[in-house]
Amino acid sequence: HYSRPMAIVGGLLAMASLASTAPLVLALLQFNVLAVLGIGALAIFAPIYFALFRYVLRALLSAQPVVTLDALGVTDTRQRVDYVSWDDVQRVRLGMGNRANTLCLELKPTAASRYTRAPGGWRLLMRYVETLGDWNVNLMPLRCSRTEVLAAAEALRKAAIRRRVEQLNRPTSAVP
């Protein structure tokens, strides 16, 4: 679930920032020299404010989980491809440095193309530059401990591996 306190703080900061743009709005109304700068600033900042206020409303009103880790895989409703099966995950880790609030899933090479848009070489370069995985879950705006999420994800991935090994090692009955 989203962190409501973080959404409230973000909403208050966004409203304070929006209020500070009042001189630009006044300049637009008077259409003086600053009006051109005001139109440019609005063109840049309007989508940012829209996305921020959309997040705040979603965080405050949504009762549905945003990220779900279960025995079958990971679901993140904010992603283009919102589900990854544990069978396709090679490694689970947290991002490094300023990306430490990101759960990074490194996918098996045969499965990566189903979950990412980038071709193989470009995907590997971006993963190296960003210190992220093939499929990433931003944990920052969520109400959870990143270390607990990592531990749960790793335990679920290992359990999926055990189930897969047991399934492969089951004796097949001979057909007469």
Side-chain angles (χ1 to χ4, degrees):
H1 294 280
Y2 283 114
S3 170
R4 287 197 169 102
M6 185 179 281
I8 291 170
V9 169
L12 290 174
L13 288 173
M15 288 197 310
S17 173
L18 189 60
S20 71
T21 62
L24 289 176
V25 173
L26 289 174
L28 284 174
L29 293 175
Q30 296 175 359
F31 201 75
N32 59 19
V33 176
L34 289 178
V36 176
L37 293 175
I39 292 171
L42 283 177
I44 293 171
F45 291 119
I48 295 170
Y49 283 119
F50 176 76
L52 188 57
F53 284 120
R54 194 177 95 193
Y55 155 73
V56 169
L57 284 175
R58 246 191 224 162
L60 293 176
L61 301 176
S62 176
Q64 300 297 324
V66 180
V67 176
T68 306
L69 283 75
D70 59 22
L72 301 175
V74 181
T75 303
D76 185 351
T77 59
R78 303 166 297 176
Q79 302 269 1
R80 181 180 63 89
V81 176
D82 64 351
Y83 173 77
V84 172
S85 171
W86 290 121
D87 292 335
D88 295 333
V89 176
Q90 183 173 329
R91 182 176 172 219
V92 177
R93 62 178 175 79
L94 289 175
M96 294 185 277
N98 63 349
R99 304 279 188 171
N101 289 315
T102 303
L103 181 68
C104 303
L105 304 180
E106 293 180 13
L107 304 172
K108 295 177 181 173
T110 56
S113 63
R114 289 190 300 242
Y115 301 105
T116 61
R117 292 184 205 168
W122 183 252
R123 180 179 47 78
L124 291 173
L125 176 65
M126 291 309 293
R127 188 169 75 183
Y128 175 76
V129 169
E130 293 180 338
T131 66
L132 293 176
D134 295 314
W135 199 79
N136 304 292
V137 178
N138 182 8
L139 303 174
M140 182 73 145
L142 303 180
R143 184 182 64 209
C144 60
S145 161
R146 62 190 176 97
T147 54
E148 289 173 359
V149 171
L150 176 64
E154 190 59 38
L156 288 166
R157 186 184 72 81
K158 287 178 180 176
I161 291 170
R162 278 193 297 278
R163 276 193 309 278
R164 181 74 176 137
V165 168
E166 289 170 1
Q167 180 184 15
L168 292 172
N169 288 330
R170 279 192 198 129
T172 57
S173 59
V175 178

